[in-house]
Amino acid sequence: MFTYHINMKTLFMLLLFCHVASTGKIVKHSLKVLLTATSGITNIPEFVNFGMVDEVEMAYYDSNIKIVETKQDWMRDFMKDNPKHMEWYTQMCFKYQQVFRAYIDDLKQRLNQTGGAHILQAMSGCEWDDETGEVIGFSQFGYDGEDFIALDLQTMTWTATRQKAFTTKLIWNADKASLEYSKYYFNHECPHWLKEYVHYGRSSLQRTDLPSVSLIQKTPSSPVSCHATGFYPDRAMMYWRKDGEEHHEDLDHGEILPNHDGSFQISVDLILSSVAPEDWRRYDCVFNLSGVEDDIVTKLDKAQIRTNWGKTEIRSGEGGRQVSDLLI
């Protein structure tokens, strides 16, 4: 399902297209292009394009800046070595800016939407298994927070996922030239560029840095925060367990945030007011990093909590923001 948020970068990072976290060596790579057009929303660009390789943002374009911004050093190297590709990428962004503007205007007219805020999203791209050589393409659209239409690459036909997309399905399925180009793009062009990007970014894309994990409590009545910092990439999960089962009550989940050195941090707070002292031993904090098989498990132990009144701290791994910074 599609969703959107007033902050455009958060919008795309929260798109509910799931991927399976891998363990060990990454053999399946993905190239995703995330696009949006908006109408009636004044504080964000009318069109945004994100390019992502293996869930890492590598390029960004919007209708305000009107240029492609490369987001990774390896992508900047690739564009420097392939200047015509940068020109092509920019032209494609500008083209889809116009196309999506037309799409959303057409949908508003067809659905009799005369005002209000509307948003059209799309995700397209391909996955490539570098061991088997298998390539899988995908293209799907959402409108106003709901799935709308998707391309079936087996039959090369568009499938409406909502009744209001039925007319769009008929129009797009009648455009045989576009369907032929899509077939070529998803089977040849997309995997070609994905392989090129992976070649340039392999050392970075397959980098894994384990975090330092600490238990932090600002005051005796504050929640206990399980804080991990210094990990890479940002495909990570952190949660509390009770008796070995994931715990969902009395928690405050923080977002994954960037550190100044390019690594990431996250924290999950456990509210202790409803936890009896004798039950502390039943809780632990679990950190999982995509591509790493073993979790980092931190027991809830008073003796291991870092506080402003002087206790010890637990650490696992290297780097990141100092725990003392979080206690101020």
Side-chain angles (χ1 to χ4, degrees):
M1 184 179 72
F2 286 79
T3 185
Y4 61 90
H5 189 278
I6 200 66
N7 179 285
M8 189 56 64
K9 287 202 173 184
T10 303
L11 179 158
F12 277 107
M13 298 312 169
L14 292 180
L15 277 172
L16 300 184
F17 296 118
C18 297
H19 67 281
V20 178
S22 62
T23 58
K25 179 180 177 287
I26 298 175
V27 296
K28 286 192 176 181
H29 301 279
S30 65
L31 172 59
K32 294 180 181 180
V33 181
L34 310 176
L35 310 100
T36 188
T38 62
S39 176
I41 305 176
T42 58
N43 58 342
I44 59 176
E46 289 188 348
F47 176 80
V48 172
N49 177 315
F50 282 95
M52 303 182 72
V53 175
D54 292 355
E55 311 299 332
V56 175
E57 183 186 358
M58 54 87 170
Y60 173 85
Y61 170 96
D62 70 43
S63 53
N64 290 345
I65 62 174
K66 295 182 173 63
I67 60 171
V68 173
E69 294 181 345
T70 51
K71 295 298 185 179
Q72 305 294 328
D73 289 340
W74 57 264
M75 190 60 180
R76 282 185 278 273
D77 291 340
F78 176 80
M79 291 298 194
K80 183 179 178 181
D81 293 342
N82 300 271
K84 289 187 177 181
H85 187 70
M86 172 63 91
E87 182 180 344
W88 172 84
Y89 200 110
T90 304
Q91 289 175 350
M92 292 299 292
C93 287
F94 183 75
K95 171 188 173 183
Y96 281 108
Q97 177 181 330
Q98 312 308 313
V99 169
F100 270 58
R101 179 73 269 164
Y103 280 168
I104 200 169
D105 287 344
D106 181 61
L107 284 171
K108 286 168 56 182
Q109 182 179 5
R110 195 183 317 140
L111 299 173
N112 197 26
Q113 297 171 329
T114 57
H118 301 283
I119 183 166
L120 175 67
Q121 295 172 306
M123 182 183 75
S124 67
C126 56
E127 294 181 346
W128 163 57
D129 188 318
D130 70 3
E131 286 191 346
T132 67
E134 181 185 21
V135 173
I136 301 174
F138 48 85
S139 183
Q140 55 196 101
F141 286 72
Y143 186 63
D144 285 350
E146 295 181 335
D147 293 338
F148 188 70
I149 194 169
L151 181 62
D152 183 337
L153 274 89
Q154 297 298 317
T155 62
M156 288 310 299
T157 57
W158 289 97
T159 302
T161 52
R162 290 287 184 275
Q163 181 61 35
K164 60 187 177 183
F166 183 74
T167 302
T168 301
K169 180 190 78 168
L170 295 178
I171 295 171
W172 288 10
N173 280 338
D175 190 347
K176 301 303 182 182
S178 292
L179 287 171
E180 280 299 314
Y181 173 74
S182 294
K183 182 178 181 180
Y184 173 79
Y185 174 79
F186 290 114
N187 288 327
H188 300 284
E189 195 167 350
C190 182
H192 167 74
W193 291 123
L194 173 56
K195 293 171 186 178
E196 290 290 314
Y197 296 154
V198 169
H199 174 72
Y200 270 76
R202 188 177 296 275
S203 61
S204 175
L205 293 170
Q206 295 193 347
R207 164 191 164 197
T208 55
D209 293 340
L210 293 176
S212 161
V213 179
S214 302
L215 298 177
I216 305 167
Q217 190 177 31
K218 292 185 178 181
T219 70
S221 60
S222 298
V224 170
S225 178
C226 186
H227 179 254
T229 186
F231 61 88
Y232 187 93
D234 62 349
R235 301 190 296 279
M237 295 188 301
M238 177 178 272
Y239 55 92
W240 283 92
R241 292 189 310 198
K242 180 181 179 181
D243 297 330
E245 299 291 332
E246 187 170 350
H247 183 65
H248 300 284
E249 300 175 0
D250 303 315
L251 298 179
D252 184 8
H253 288 268
E255 295 182 4
I256 294 179
L257 301 172
N259 287 324
H260 61 84
D261 61 358
S263 64
F264 298 91
Q265 61 174 291
I266 188 175
S267 62
V268 181
D269 295 351
L270 174 65
I271 300 170
L272 293 174
S273 57
S274 59
V275 180
E278 60 269 22
D279 289 336
W280 277 40
R281 59 183 177 80
R282 300 170 64 186
Y283 291 83
D284 54 38
C285 172
V286 180
F287 175 88
N288 173 267
L289 184 64
S290 176
V292 177
E293 186 172 357
D294 295 329
D295 295 335
I296 298 175
V297 179
T298 306
K299 286 284 187 181
L300 179 59
D301 183 348
K302 276 191 176 182
Q304 304 299 336
I305 296 176
R306 175 77 174 183
T307 71
N308 271 338
W309 56 94
K311 293 254 170 57
T312 59
E313 63 180 290
I314 276 184
R315 287 191 177 276
S316 304
E318 295 292 337
R321 188 173 172 186
Q322 293 298 314
V323 171
S324 57
D325 296 339
L326 303 170
L327 292 168
I328 298 173

